[in-house]
Amino acid sequence: MFENLQTKIERAFKTLKGEGRITEINVAETMKEIRKALLDADVSYKVAKNFTDEVKQKALGQNVLTAVKPGQMLTKVMHDELAALMGSKATDIHLKGSPAVVLVTGLQGSGKTTFTGKLALQLRKNGRTPLLVAADVYRPAAIEQLKILGTQVEVPVYAEEGNQNPVQIAKNAIDFARRNSCDAVIVDTAGRLAIDEVMMKEIEAVKKAVQPSETLFVVDAMTGQDAVNTAKEFNDRLNFDGVVLTKLDGDTRGGAALSIRAVVQKPIKFMSVSEKMDGLLVFHPERMADRILGMGDVVSLVERAQEQFDEAEARRISKRAAKNQFDYNDFLHQIKQVQKMGNVKDLIAMVPGAAKMTKDIDVDDNTFKGVEAIIGSMTPHERENPDVLNGSRRKRLALGSGRSIEEVNRLTKQFDEIRKMTKGGSAGIKNMMSRMQGMR
Ligand SMILES: Nc1nc2c(ncn2[C@@H]2O[C@H](COP(=O)(O)OP(=O)(O)O)[C@@H](O)[C@H]2O)c(=O)[nH]1
Ligand SMILES: [Mg+2]
């Protein structure tokens, strides 16, 4: 699914590789590539442009975190914006009323009948007692097809051979459902090859007659921009509640999945990934964004680093540093922060394929053991007044902490360097954090 788009996005990110930070220029370049990738995936120009503008703005507004690279940060921003574009959260269908009525609409061949069978199966598995209704009266084969699916998923099918009035059939089906204690009615309607006034009028009439609690629009994801245009026309007429994307198992370019929500302002609720009856999935925008980027591991890394990085603390320390008050307590505190990021490494190591990522963060729980032991042996007075650490005090610290005198000397030297760096304001602090990550 979406392989082409994935490859192109990956290529776009290469522009950022090796860059130290996100700048107006390198983001603009990357976004130009991303926009091209989206257009190639058949996303509409307007949607693609809005999207890349938004990502660019958000990326430039991000804090620079030592534990993540610009490309990783941008991946996270892209991920969140992709998910937002597709609706952010999964949305349930409404099943209200007794029986609850679900009306299924869409063009011919989009996968309506297949979807009604799949939905019936899901509802039955969720403890419902559904009824399938054959309101596609124009092709005798359509009724037969629904009956076969009904048998497969063990859900009864209501049909009236010879009755050419879908409104009447749908109403009768609801009476039938009430008499037979079915609590959900799924109405399969007739489509056309293209938007057609007679079809629209008919579906409008069925909708008015059965008052569905959920009207779904089924669309073939392979049709790209056409899918989006059809969705718009159906929505203008029917004001549907949600979209079902089908045939995502084919080599669809992804344009429909990415643009529909932005164009009709209705959620994608399901996605269909095979002809088989169990091939129906709830549509999760976040998971879809993971899939498109193929970088779920990076996203969780950045999230964790963002959680751990305490901006307020960094500001507090840079203020102290400016007044030349940076001491071993602050130092220890910073070490703890870096260590928390170190734990991220353990977390990531469990994600398959993340090995290449973890080498970017050279921190583990043992990194600072010696440093912590030495600072632990200092008196409160020494911690607050780093300059009193003369030769004899350093010797005492080595004995007390069980580390060598060389190690103690190295630490005090590193501390002095870091203290100098922290005078450079918050940029200095970030510098310090990355310096500390390299410390052994
Ligand atoms: N590969 C694939 N084929 C599908 C999917 N959904 C439906 N189909 C096939 O698409 C064709 C049209 O489906 P159908 O349900 O009859 O469409 P309808 O005319 O809208 O009722 C059939 O051959 C289905 O088997 C899907 O998610 N994946
Ligand atoms: Mg059909």
Side-chain angles (χ1 to χ4, degrees):
M1 200 192 298
F2 306 164
E3 274 93 5
N4 231 323
L5 178 59
Q6 259 178 30
T7 319
K8 284 188 184 142
I9 289 179
E10 226 166 86
R11 204 179 305 150
F13 273 94
K14 291 228 167 82
T15 331
L16 268 181
K17 275 250 173 76
E19 299 274 352
R21 56 200 202 91
I22 294 179
T23 66
E24 190 93 35
I25 292 166
N26 61 25
V27 166
E29 250 166 58
T30 309
M31 283 306 120
K32 212 168 94 191
E33 293 294 312
I34 299 275
R35 192 180 312 168
K36 251 195 264 166
L38 291 173
L39 292 175
D40 285 348
D42 212 10
V43 173
S44 77
Y45 181 79
K46 195 164 156 249
V47 172
K49 180 161 190 329
N50 285 345
F51 176 81
T52 47
D53 287 351
E54 191 76 9
V55 171
K56 185 174 146 191
Q57 200 195 337
K58 292 242 163 90
L60 290 171
Q62 287 293 322
N63 289 320
V64 183
L65 300 180
T66 16
V68 297
K69 303 202 145 131
Q72 295 170 335
M73 178 58 84
L74 192 58
T75 303
K76 163 80 166 90
V77 175
M78 273 277 289
H79 170 272
D80 291 354
E81 289 303 308
L82 273 177
L85 185 63
M86 293 183 286
S88 287
K89 285 207 163 57
T91 318
D92 277 340
I93 55 168
H94 309 94
L95 291 175
K96 282 194 210 94
S98 49
V101 179
V102 179
L103 181 64
V104 179
T105 69
L107 292 183
Q108 188 176 315
S110 60
K112 289 182 300 301
T113 306
T114 312
F115 168 73
T116 58
K118 291 172 175 176
L119 182 63
L121 177 63
Q122 280 205 355
L123 293 183
R124 184 171 69 68
K125 283 188 173 162
N126 291 340
R128 290 257 174 185
T129 321
L131 175 71
L132 282 164
V133 181
D136 180 352
V137 293
Y138 302 104
R139 296 180 305 142
I143 298 178
E144 197 47 40
Q145 182 192 5
L146 195 63
K147 281 185 173 166
I148 292 168
L149 294 179
T151 311
Q152 267 182 45
V153 299
E154 298 172 43
V155 168
V157 174
Y158 184 90
E160 292 183 25
E161 239 91 15
N163 187 342
Q164 294 279 306
N165 184 343
V167 173
Q168 199 59 53
I169 293 171
K171 278 178 146 175
N172 292 345
I174 290 172
D175 288 340
F176 178 89
R178 287 206 181 100
R179 285 196 307 275
N180 291 277
S181 311
C182 296
D183 58 10
V185 171
I186 306 168
V187 184
D188 182 27
T189 61
R192 301 282 193 283
L193 289 172
I195 297 284
D196 168 303
E197 186 56 29
V198 179
M199 167 188 67
M200 282 298 183
K201 282 228 161 74
E202 179 180 305
I203 301 170
E204 276 174 332
V206 173
K207 185 175 180 197
K208 200 160 162 241
V210 302
Q211 298 287 316
S213 69
E214 179 80 26
T215 301
L216 291 171
F217 169 69
V218 179
V219 68
D220 180 343
M222 305 271 284
T223 57
Q225 273 308 291
D226 281 346
V228 178
N229 297 334
T230 321
K232 195 168 176 329
E233 295 206 35
F234 267 78
N235 192 46
D236 289 347
R237 294 294 290 261
L238 291 174
N239 188 23
F240 55 67
D241 301 296
V243 177
V244 178
L245 273 184
T246 64
K247 307 185 195 179
L248 280 169
D249 49 326
D251 59 351
T252 158
R253 288 181 290 171
L258 288 167
S259 337
I260 271 193
R261 155 113 207 167
V263 173
V264 296
Q265 295 299 321
K266 295 287 167 68
I268 301 170
K269 296 195 172 181
F270 290 104
M271 58 188 222
S272 169
V273 294
S274 96
E275 291 178 273
K276 300 214 186 76
M277 285 297 103
D278 58 2
L280 183 68
L281 301 168
V282 170
F283 187 83
H284 288 277
E286 300 254 354
R287 284 182 212 164
M288 187 53 97
D290 284 352
R291 253 188 182 175
I292 292 172
L293 288 173
M295 293 173 182
D297 46 351
V298 176
V299 173
S300 57
L301 163 74
V302 179
E303 274 168 7
R304 285 295 296 273
Q306 279 173 332
E307 264 169 40
Q308 311 292 6
F309 183 76
D310 190 340
E311 183 75 17
E313 178 63 15
R315 261 201 307 276
R316 188 186 73 81
I317 289 189
S318 68
K319 258 194 206 145
R320 284 174 61 76
K323 292 188 214 149
N324 213 7
Q325 290 171 334
F326 185 76
D327 65 14
Y328 278 102
N329 289 320
D330 300 320
F331 188 60
L332 202 57
H333 195 93
Q334 291 302 299
I335 286 176
K336 296 263 190 273
Q337 285 236 338
V338 176
Q339 268 178 328
K340 276 199 243 164
M341 291 186 187
N343 295 335
V344 174
K345 181 176 172 176
D346 301 339
L347 190 94
I348 301 259
M350 289 184 281
V351 182
K356 66 176 190 318
M357 281 279 323
T358 51
K359 78 169 175 354
D360 294 330
I361 309 167
D362 280 332
V363 188
D364 64 47
D365 288 340
N366 288 323
T367 306
F368 298 112
K369 268 225 169 101
V371 174
E372 280 181 292
I374 296 166
I375 298 178
S377 295
M378 292 178 189
T379 64
H381 179 74
E382 285 166 346
R383 288 195 204 186
E384 285 164 23
N385 302 280
D387 294 328
V388 303
L389 289 175
N390 58 19
S392 69
R393 282 178 191 260
R394 289 205 293 269
K395 210 181 278 170
R396 198 202 78 239
L397 290 179
L399 280 173
S401 62
R403 318 300 293 202
S404 67
I405 184 72
E406 288 78 23
E407 227 177 307
V408 175
N409 288 338
R410 194 161 65 228
L411 169 64
T412 54
K413 209 170 139 227
Q414 276 170 335
F415 175 84
D416 287 338
E417 277 173 25
I418 285 168
R419 183 163 54 170
K420 257 182 248 150
M421 261 188 234
T422 55
K423 286 186 187 153
S426 73
I429 296 281
K430 277 158 195 162
N431 228 330
M432 171 190 74
M433 300 272 283
S434 58
R435 184 67 171 258
M436 283 163 77
Q437 284 181 9
M439 239 166 75
R440 298 269 104 191

